[in-house]
Amino acid sequence: MVPYIIRRLLIAIPVLLGVTIVNFIIINMAPGNPVDMYVDPNTSQELLNLRKEQLGLNDPLWVQFFHWLGNLVKGNLGYSFSTYEPVSKMIVERIGPTFQLTFLALIVGLIIALPIGIISAVKQYSKLDYFATGTSFFGISIPHFFLGLGLIYIFAVQLQILPAGGMSTLGSEDDIFDKVKHLILPVIVLAVGIAGQYVRYVRASLLEVLGQDYLRTARAKGLKEMVITNKHALKNALIPIITIIGLEIPFLLGGAVITEQVFQWPGMGQLTIQSIMSRDYPTLMALNLLTAFMVLFANLFTDILYSFVDPRIKYK
């Protein structure tokens, strides 16, 4: 197992380098630049050029990239072009709220999806199965921003029982119940999409396993259907689900970008939108690098988790 992990980590280095090169080129190909976004229209061209020179924007693209890469090797992610804060400090402040939101949404989504998917598979082609399948398509199809705005209108504007946005009420930053109230709506928005996806995955995976010969043998021996499903079928059916969960974790940030913006949640999703709007190259590069690292780590974590779920899988 240890040699396998070391090999995977060594392979991750050139992959991350390739990702940073592609991201750097795409980000710099976007029209506009940070200086043009934050200057008065009457500012002289000489001052604009001076500011671009100070930020290194007049250098060739390859020079800018190697300058950024050199700072990265030293552990320096640079400074934001819009706020002039260290990028590492900005990410550390935002990463906690994002992981808190996405982790809770993933847990809630799985708690909803697993039992519904199991029941839908066991009761195949029943009215309950059709209802669960139809509801899952609804969860996948409804846009996050539309659902979020709808929930805000119902629970924050009309009923006034939940806050419309933010992470806490001013003056109640240490109140755990206040934070929970602010979490409810954004977690519901993300969890609906997650549950909609995983109901179908669990159902399809379990149906495939339920048709195996060894389960027919278990039924022939007189085992109860609940024991067959929960003890024998579900464990094998979870193997492809683990793959999907592991690969889904980094891409939860994609949904969090919209959800955080709708609910003004101070996480990395909101920071991403702000960085794009302000052409904040150092912050965007750091966010892309972090996302790429999370994808690679999620793949490695999924492979390791396989060996615990199925002892037959060995890595050398």
Side-chain angles (χ1 to χ4, degrees):
M1 177 66 76
V2 175
Y4 172 79
I5 294 175
I6 293 174
R7 286 199 306 270
R8 289 291 297 269
L9 291 176
L10 292 175
I11 293 173
I13 296 174
V15 172
L16 285 174
L17 180 61
V19 169
T20 57
I21 293 173
V22 173
N23 282 331
F24 193 85
I25 293 173
I26 292 175
I27 289 172
N28 282 271
M29 285 176 61
N33 61 71
V35 174
D36 294 337
M37 301 293 293
Y38 284 95
V39 296
D40 187 275
N42 298 321
T43 304
S44 66
Q45 190 62 42
E46 290 77 10
L47 287 176
L48 292 179
N49 291 333
L50 178 62
R51 187 55 182 154
K52 289 179 182 178
E53 188 68 32
Q54 291 173 339
L55 295 175
L57 298 176
N58 290 333
D59 295 334
L61 200 59
W62 65 271
V63 173
Q64 296 182 45
F65 175 75
F66 280 107
H67 178 72
W68 176 84
L69 188 62
N71 288 331
L72 177 65
V73 172
K74 299 174 184 176
N76 179 16
L77 293 175
Y79 290 83
S80 168
F81 284 170
S82 57
T83 65
Y84 308 109
E85 293 181 271
V87 173
S88 57
K89 177 176 177 290
M90 295 171 63
I91 291 180
V92 167
E93 291 175 349
R94 301 292 189 116
I95 197 170
T98 292
F99 275 116
Q100 184 182 18
L101 175 61
T102 54
F103 179 76
L104 286 174
L106 181 62
I107 296 299
V108 172
L110 291 176
I111 290 174
I112 296 171
L114 285 174
I116 294 178
I118 292 170
I119 295 171
S120 182
V122 173
K123 304 291 185 181
Q124 187 182 16
Y125 301 132
S126 65
K127 292 182 179 179
L128 184 60
D129 180 28
Y130 289 129
F131 176 78
T133 305
T135 305
S136 68
F137 278 114
F138 170 79
I140 297 170
S141 304
I142 188 167
H144 285 180
F145 76 89
F146 182 80
L147 179 59
L149 292 175
L151 292 178
I152 289 173
Y153 177 75
I154 294 171
F155 292 100
V157 177
Q158 295 295 322
L159 300 179
Q160 298 184 0
I161 57 176
L162 291 173
M167 192 173 176
S168 61
T169 304
L170 187 63
S172 302
E173 288 79 4
D174 297 327
D175 187 348
I176 185 66
F177 295 105
D178 182 69
K179 290 184 178 179
V180 170
K181 287 173 63 177
H182 283 80
L183 272 167
I184 291 175
L185 293 184
V187 166
I188 289 175
V189 170
L190 288 175
V192 165
I194 294 169
Q197 283 184 312
Y198 285 107
V199 165
R200 297 186 305 123
Y201 292 143
V202 172
R203 179 184 182 275
S205 181
L206 190 57
L207 280 175
E208 184 177 352
V209 174
L210 286 174
Q212 298 295 319
D213 291 338
Y214 71 93
L215 292 182
R216 295 193 187 99
T217 303
R219 292 189 185 96
K221 290 181 178 180
L223 290 179
K224 293 181 179 180
E225 194 66 30
M226 183 177 294
V227 175
I228 293 173
T229 302
N230 295 335
K231 186 176 180 180
H232 298 283
L234 186 58
K235 188 173 183 180
N236 290 326
L238 283 178
I239 294 176
I241 304 301
I242 290 173
T243 305
I244 299 167
I245 293 174
L247 298 178
E248 184 76 16
I249 291 174
F251 295 103
L252 276 174
L253 295 176
V257 168
I258 305 299
T259 304
E260 288 183 6
Q261 192 69 11
V262 170
F263 290 98
Q264 292 300 298
W265 188 263
M268 292 196 299
Q270 190 184 63
L271 180 62
T272 300
I273 295 294
Q274 293 172 351
S275 301
I276 292 172
M277 298 300 293
S278 62
R279 304 295 191 275
D280 192 348
Y281 298 158
T283 306
L284 285 173
M285 283 298 299
L287 290 169
N288 286 327
L289 179 65
L290 179 61
T291 303
F293 175 80
M294 288 175 61
V295 172
L296 293 171
F297 176 79
N299 276 274
L300 177 59
F301 178 74
T302 302
D303 289 345
I304 294 172
L305 198 58
Y306 273 164
S307 62
F308 290 97
V309 175
D310 190 345
R312 296 172 297 176
I313 299 176
K314 301 291 183 183
Y315 296 110
K316 297 180 180 180

